[in-house]
């Protein structure tokens, strides 16, 4: 690209870094432009939160829209022409996409002068914008723009899930709904002609033996049939596209809402039961895009055909409508009792599915403890309950179907007998051809009316399913905390000031007046008996629970004011029982951070003591980890989790019983690396093995939710009874031999307990 083909002062494609002549990658410029547009609306974005799509050298407008929406902004990508762009005079900064993968910010426009003002996103808000005309911009601009604004009110992603929310989602497809309505109305009109043609064939062709009329009618039938087939195909295609788009949007929203729920909620719920309630939402989708839509489409047929039936024979038409009305009344009467039984059936099926999920999830425990028979007994009991309510539901459905059958037979068979009688008694009322035409159309009248009545039954079931899904998805989410708040640089200084916390439903405090502080770069150990509050402190640090009182500060900033995503990305966390995803070792260590290279992976594995066993594997870092990590040991899984935590080089690391699953050799290897891992970062280590905490700068001793003492190991041994007791319990053999006074040691342990 030559100098005249771009805007040097504006487009990052040719600009250099503000710090020198180092060339900036176009993708970085495009990201910075999106961040600058969001910042205009008060949204501070972190470039580390951006996940690139595979195969994209520079983020596409759609990818940027996804990222901005995930971060709490309202964004839209579109393609416009110059004549519309130049009229956007009062718009906030607009991101213009350039062909080389970079972008610029349009901060003003003048349609009179035919220019727009562009600013380089790499130079900050103080940079002077450059005026660009259509000719110069057209050489580098793709025509794509990105519009960004702050959230106003409740968006679709945050609004409570109700039937109206669903309907609004479907109604967004206005173009598809319009095309379906037009096709349905046209098909309904075309369906009138075949009975008319049959009537003409009987009354004209057969009675008068007119071959010419038959040929003409045959030609008309072929033409109308062709258009009806074509329109029916088009309607099905459009309906399929509509339902697919709604399904895609619903699935994306459902997953986003589910993962935005706080961890505390998942901990209180039975997983299988919760998933069963969430998946019930698809019944609502099927209802809106299936039965509800098809019923209203059939009503088009009713509106068009019913007047024609009254034209053929008002007597027969009233009989048909009356019979269809009685059918609808029967359906309505049985709706309430059927709904009650079906609700119990759905509940029983959900509980049974929860048993199945729990059994599969705990299959290792089931096999090792030989619990097959006991679980079978539970499954048999739940199956018997499901069968009981399913049988009751089937019997209840059988009654209205049986009562409806005579009326349905009357419409399909009785009407023709009455019509034949009327034709014999009063030929002027209805002829033979008219009678056949009426029979062809009469069946189509009963179907929409019956379908409309059954819709009430389906609606009740759907509302039950919706309430089940809403009971999960309408729970308070972490969305606001994940997308708003401060994003300060993390150094790692911690301060607890009168922190109190209790778990939901608990009557006692898990933390009571916790007060201590440590500077950045400190290695802090947390010790105490089970239930003393060690893991609760790590939960508060991770932002899992924010309902504490007092002040928990990170680098002088209250933790509740920090963006939750930024906070968690700044931490490295290793738990006692870590989960590895299905995928390669390398994918698990990078954990969705595609920017890391194999050198970074090897460095992290070496630091965690995992390199030696990874290199012994046939595929090395490309070894595939099965579901549940069944092809690696518990110690290997733990070391991979440590590698996953340290690869991001976090300024604060939390190790909650991180070495509990390691064998002595592996534990010694990891402990030897802890000091190296802890260089330049704050470490919070929870461990029952006090020997692994000896080298900590500070050790916090907790008991019943309160801080008993905090000091280095040697000091605690002298002045803290609880710590001394725990230490002697774990080292009684060594201490006993070294002191030569085993009796005194035993007595001290007894006193401590």
């Amino acid at each position: 690209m030559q100098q005249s083909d771009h805007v040097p002062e504006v487009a990052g494609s040719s600009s250099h870094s503000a710090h020198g002549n180092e060339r900036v990658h176009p993708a970085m410029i495009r990201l910075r432009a999106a961040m600058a547009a969001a910042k205009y609306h008060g949204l501070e974005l972190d470039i580390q939160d951006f996940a690139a799509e595979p195969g994209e050298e520079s983020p596409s407008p759609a990818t940027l829209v996804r990222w901005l929406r995930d971060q709490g902004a309202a964004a839209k990508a579109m393609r416009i022409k110059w004549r519309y762009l130049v009229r956007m005079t009062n718009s906030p900064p607009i991101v213009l996409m350039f062909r080389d993968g970079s972008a610029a910010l349009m901060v003003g426009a003048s349609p009179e002068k035919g220019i727009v003002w562009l600013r380089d996103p790499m130079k900050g808000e103080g940079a002077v914008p450059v005026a660009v005309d259509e000719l110069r911009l057209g050489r580098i601009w793709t025509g794509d723009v990105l519009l960004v604004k702050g959230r106003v009110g409740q968006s679709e992603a945050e609004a409570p899930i109700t039937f109206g929310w669903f309907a609004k989602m479907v109604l967004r497809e206005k173009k598809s709904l319009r095309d379906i309505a037009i096709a349905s109305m046209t098909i309904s009109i075309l369906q009138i002609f075949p009975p008319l043609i049959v009537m003409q064939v009987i009354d004209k062709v057969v009675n008068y033996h007119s071959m010419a009329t038959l040929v003409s009618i045959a030609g008309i039938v072929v033409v109308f049939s062709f258009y009806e087939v074509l329109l029916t195909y088009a309607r099905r295609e459009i309906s399929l596209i509509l339902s697919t788009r709604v399904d895609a949007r619903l699935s994306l929203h459902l997953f986003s809402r589910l993962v935005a729920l706080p961890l505390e909620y998942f901990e209180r719920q039975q997983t299988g039961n919760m998933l069963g309630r969430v998946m019930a939402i698809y019944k609502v989708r099927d209802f809106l895009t299936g039965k509800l839509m098809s019923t209203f489409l059939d009503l088009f047929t009713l509106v068009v055909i019913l007047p024609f039936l009254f034209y053929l024979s008002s007597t027969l038409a009233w009989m048909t409508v009356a019979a269809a009305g009685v059918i609808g009344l029967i359906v309505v009467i049985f709706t309430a009792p059927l709904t009650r039984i079906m609700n119990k059936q759905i509940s029983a099926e959900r509980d049974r599915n929860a048993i199945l999920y729990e059994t599969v999830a705990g299959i290792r425990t089931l096999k090792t403890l030989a619990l097959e028979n006991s679980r079978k007994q539970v499954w048999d009991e739940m199956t018997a309950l499901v069968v009981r309510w399913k049988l009751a539901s089937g019997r209840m459905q059988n009654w209205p179907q049986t009562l409806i059958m005579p009326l349905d037979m009357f419409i399909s068979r009785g009407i023709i007998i009455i019509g034949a009688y009327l034709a014999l008694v009063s030929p002027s009322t209805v002829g033979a051809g008219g009678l056949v035409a009426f029979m062809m159309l009469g069946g189509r009248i009963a179907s929409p009316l019956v379908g409309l009545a059954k819709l009430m039954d389906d609606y009740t079931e759907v509302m039950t399913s919706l309430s089940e899904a809403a009971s999960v998805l309408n729970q308070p989410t972490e969305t606001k905390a994940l997308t708003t708040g401060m994003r300060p640089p993390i150094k790692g200084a911690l301060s607890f000031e009168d922190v109190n916390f209790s778990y939901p439903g608990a009557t006692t405090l898990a933390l009571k007046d916790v007060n201590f502080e440590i500077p950045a770069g400190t290695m802090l150990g947390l010790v105490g008996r089970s239930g003393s509050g060690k893991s609760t402190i790590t939960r508060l640090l991770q932002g899992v629970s924010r309902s504490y009182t007092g002040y928990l500060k990170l680098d002088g900033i209250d933790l509740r004011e920090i963006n939750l995503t930024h906070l968690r990305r700044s931490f490295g966390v290793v738990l006692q029982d870590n989960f590895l995803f299905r995928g390669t070792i390398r994918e698990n260590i990078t954990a969705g951070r595609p920017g890391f290279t194999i050198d970074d992976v090897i460095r992290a594995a070496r630091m965690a003591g995992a390199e030696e066993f990874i290199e012994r594997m046939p595929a090395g870092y490309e070894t595939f980890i099965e579901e549940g990590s069944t092809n690696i040991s518990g110690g290997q899984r733990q070391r991979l989790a440590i590698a996953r935590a340290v690869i991001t080089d976090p300024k604060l690391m939390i190790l909650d019983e991180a070495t509990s699953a390691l064998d002595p050799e592996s534990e010694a290897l990891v402990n030897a690396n802890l000091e190296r891992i802890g260089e330049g970062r704050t470490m919070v280590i929870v461990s029952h093995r006090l020997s692994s905490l000896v080298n900590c700068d500070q050790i916090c001793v907790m008991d019943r939710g309160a801080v008993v003492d905090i000091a280095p190991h040697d000091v605690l041994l002298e002045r803290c009874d609880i710590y001394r007791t725990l230490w002697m319990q774990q080292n009684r053999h060594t201490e006993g031999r070294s002191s030569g006074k085993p009796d005194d040691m035993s007595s001290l342990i007894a006193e401590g307990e």
Side-chain angles (χ1 to χ4, degrees):
M1 185 180 292
Q2 297 180 356
Q3 184 71 14
S4 60
D5 291 336
H6 53 62
V7 185
E9 299 85 353
V10 177
S13 57
S14 57
S15 66
H16 298 280
S17 171
H19 304 291
N21 293 325
E22 182 184 355
R23 183 175 177 82
V24 182
H25 195 280
M28 178 61 69
I29 301 170
R30 186 168 285 192
L31 287 173
R32 291 292 182 187
M35 293 171 64
K39 186 176 181 180
Y40 177 85
H41 298 283
L43 296 168
E44 292 283 350
L45 303 184
D46 188 346
I47 202 168
Q48 292 183 355
D49 295 333
F50 177 76
E53 291 292 333
E56 283 188 355
E57 292 186 6
S58 186
S60 65
T63 301
L64 291 175
V65 167
R66 173 187 56 76
W67 177 46
L68 289 164
R69 288 178 177 174
D70 289 344
Q71 300 304 311
K76 182 179 181 180
M78 58 190 302
R79 175 161 290 189
I80 62 175
K81 296 182 179 179
W82 165 265
R83 63 175 178 270
Y84 299 114
L85 181 70
V86 77
R87 294 176 187 171
M88 302 173 75
T89 55
N90 297 320
S91 302
I94 299 172
V95 181
L96 304 188
M97 306 295 171
F98 290 165
R99 292 192 179 96
D100 65 349
S102 64
L105 287 167
M106 190 187 94
V107 295
S110 174
E112 296 82 10
K113 298 179 180 179
I115 58 173
V116 294
W117 278 276
L118 304 185
R119 176 165 66 82
D120 187 345
M122 302 299 293
K123 293 185 177 179
E125 298 179 6
V128 179
V130 177
V132 183
D133 58 18
E134 180 181 5
L135 180 62
R136 296 181 68 196
L137 184 63
R139 292 172 177 169
I140 57 172
W141 180 43
T142 64
D144 294 319
V145 300
L146 179 67
L147 307 178
V148 185
K149 68 176 182 178
R151 292 289 193 195
V152 180
Q154 281 189 320
S155 68
E156 181 182 275
E158 300 159 355
I161 293 178
T162 60
F163 192 81
W165 180 89
F166 258 102
K168 188 181 295 184
M169 178 180 287
V170 176
L171 291 175
R172 285 178 59 182
E173 305 294 333
K174 294 179 181 178
K175 185 177 179 181
S176 297
L177 290 172
R178 180 201 64 196
D179 294 341
I180 291 172
I182 293 173
S184 299
M185 183 63 75
T186 307
I187 291 171
S188 299
I189 295 172
L190 290 176
Q191 287 176 346
I192 296 177
F193 288 97
L196 282 175
I197 291 170
V198 170
M199 185 171 68
Q200 293 300 318
V201 168
I202 294 175
D203 292 342
K204 305 294 183 182
V205 176
V206 175
N207 290 340
Y208 296 101
H209 301 281
S210 175
M211 185 62 68
T213 305
L214 179 61
V215 172
S216 301
I217 290 176
I220 295 172
V221 168
V222 170
V223 172
F224 278 117
S225 298
F226 172 77
Y227 280 108
E228 186 173 355
V229 169
L230 190 63
L231 285 170
T232 303
Y233 169 79
R235 186 176 70 174
R236 287 173 182 165
E237 181 71 16
I238 297 171
S239 299
L240 179 62
I241 293 172
L242 171 66
S243 60
T244 303
R245 293 184 63 169
V246 170
D247 183 65
R249 190 179 295 117
L250 176 63
S251 297
L252 294 173
H253 174 79
L254 183 149
F255 190 81
S256 298
R257 182 76 71 101
L258 191 63
V259 297
L261 294 175
L263 180 59
E264 287 180 316
Y265 178 77
F266 289 98
E267 293 173 340
R268 298 194 304 268
Q269 299 297 318
Q270 186 182 12
T271 305
N273 189 290
M274 181 183 64
L275 290 178
R277 282 185 284 161
V278 170
M279 297 309 291
I281 202 169
Y282 286 103
K283 289 186 178 180
V284 187
R285 180 224 37 206
D286 294 337
F287 175 75
L288 283 173
T289 60
K291 293 180 180 179
L292 182 65
M293 184 177 295
S294 62
T295 300
F296 277 104
L297 292 179
D298 288 340
L299 288 178
F300 282 126
T301 305
L302 182 66
V303 170
V304 174
I305 294 178
L306 194 58
F308 186 70
L309 286 182
F310 278 95
Y311 166 75
L312 291 175
S313 173
S314 60
T315 304
L316 297 179
W318 279 117
M319 288 181 180
T320 303
V321 172
V326 174
I327 291 174
L329 182 62
I330 292 173
V331 172
V332 171
I333 291 173
F334 279 89
T335 295
L338 183 59
T339 300
R340 286 194 295 269
I341 294 175
M342 291 194 69
N343 286 344
K344 293 179 179 179
Q345 178 189 338
I346 292 171
S347 178
E349 288 178 343
R350 188 176 62 245
D351 291 340
R352 185 177 65 169
N353 291 337
I355 296 296
L356 179 62
Y357 177 88
E358 189 177 47
T359 301
V360 174
I363 193 67
R364 183 175 298 177
T365 303
L366 183 143
K367 290 290 186 182
T368 54
L369 298 180
L371 299 177
E372 290 90 343
N373 290 333
S374 62
R375 297 304 291 179
K376 284 179 183 177
Q377 184 177 354
V378 175
W379 177 261
D380 291 346
E381 291 173 357
M382 295 306 302
T383 300
L385 188 62
V386 170
V387 169
R388 172 189 170 190
W389 288 117
K390 198 168 186 177
L391 183 61
S393 174
R395 285 172 175 169
M396 182 60 70
Q397 289 177 338
N398 196 17
W399 275 106
Q401 291 174 2
T402 303
L403 295 175
I404 286 171
M405 278 189 69
L407 296 167
D408 192 34
M409 290 177 180
F410 172 75
I411 294 175
S412 61
R413 305 171 190 177
I415 293 294
I416 193 170
I417 296 175
I418 297 175
Y421 170 77
L422 292 176
L424 292 174
V425 174
S426 177
S428 60
T429 305
V430 58
L435 181 60
V436 174
F438 191 96
M439 290 307 304
M440 293 178 66
L441 293 173
R444 295 180 180 178
I445 288 295
S447 178
L449 292 175
V450 173
L452 192 60
K454 288 183 177 179
L455 202 63
M456 298 299 296
D457 181 22
D458 295 329
Y459 177 77
T460 307
E461 181 184 354
V462 162
M463 292 306 294
T464 302
S465 300
L466 181 60
S467 65
E468 292 284 344
S471 67
V472 177
L473 298 176
N474 285 347
Q475 293 289 326
T477 66
E478 295 180 322
T479 302
K480 185 176 181 180
L482 290 167
T483 57
T484 61
M486 302 172 63
R487 297 174 183 266
I490 303 297
K491 297 179 181 177
L494 294 175
S495 172
F496 285 74
E497 300 176 11
D498 299 321
V499 174
N500 291 275
F501 173 76
S502 62
Y503 288 98
T507 56
T508 59
L509 290 173
L511 293 179
K512 293 182 291 186
D513 297 325
V514 174
N515 286 276
F516 70 87
E517 61 178 299
I518 57 172
T522 301
M523 185 180 293
L524 173 70
L526 289 175
V527 300
R529 300 184 181 97
S530 296
S532 59
K534 305 183 297 297
S535 294
T536 303
I537 283 185
T538 65
R539 288 170 62 89
L540 297 189
L541 288 175
Q542 296 170 65
V544 173
S545 303
R546 288 192 158 193
S547 57
Y548 58 86
T549 60
Y551 298 95
L552 170 51
K553 297 181 179 180
L554 176 61
D555 299 324
I557 303 172
D558 193 287
L559 220 63
R560 288 168 289 201
E561 297 179 3
I562 300 177
N563 177 276
L564 200 53
T565 301
H566 175 71
L567 178 72
R568 291 173 178 171
R569 285 186 182 273
S570 302
F571 281 20
V573 181
V574 184
L575 304 175
Q576 182 175 0
D577 185 19
N578 292 280
F579 182 85
L580 297 181
F581 297 94
R582 291 185 76 248
T584 65
I585 288 177
R586 177 178 179 175
E587 291 169 347
N588 269 278
I589 293 178
T590 56
R593 308 284 183 86
F596 290 113
T597 64
I598 187 62
D599 292 333
D600 297 322
V601 174
I602 294 172
R603 176 186 56 80
R606 184 179 299 124
M607 192 175 294
E611 185 183 26
E612 51 89 15
F613 81 81
I614 294 175
E615 291 182 345
R616 290 201 309 265
M617 292 185 169
Y621 288 90
E622 299 304 320
T623 301
F624 195 85
I625 297 176
E626 301 293 343
E627 184 175 356
S629 309
T630 55
N631 58 333
I632 62 175
S633 68
Q636 290 172 338
R637 181 173 69 241
Q638 203 75 346
R639 280 182 278 176
L640 289 179
I642 295 173
R644 181 171 61 188
V646 300
I647 193 173
T648 58
D649 192 25
K651 293 301 179 183
L652 196 154
M653 280 195 66
I654 297 173
L655 281 74
D656 192 350
E657 297 291 348
T659 60
S660 61
L662 299 180
D663 56 84
E665 183 180 354
S666 299
E667 182 184 8
L669 186 62
V670 172
N671 286 336
N673 287 333
L674 276 182
E675 289 189 24
R676 189 153 54 93
I677 292 174
E679 288 180 3
R681 59 171 61 92
T682 302
M683 301 277 288
V684 178
I685 307 171
V686 178
S687 179
H688 283 99
R689 302 179 185 177
L690 303 189
S691 58
S692 63
L693 303 178
V694 170
N695 294 325
C696 287
D697 301 313
Q698 297 286 326
I699 300 176
C700 179
V701 183
M702 302 195 66
D703 188 51
R704 297 181 182 180
V707 175
V708 177
D709 201 348
I710 180 169
H713 167 73
D714 294 335
V715 177
L716 290 176
L717 276 179
E718 294 180 4
R719 74 185 189 192
C720 181
D721 293 337
I722 294 178
Y723 184 81
R724 185 167 55 249
T725 300
L726 293 173
W727 176 262
M728 288 188 296
Q729 285 176 342
Q730 295 182 18
N731 299 274
R732 55 183 177 271
H733 303 298
T734 304
E735 293 290 335
R737 288 194 297 269
S738 62
S739 64
K741 298 178 181 180
D743 295 336
D744 294 342
M745 182 66 66
S746 301
S747 62
L748 283 172
I749 294 172
E751 289 177 9
E753 285 297 307

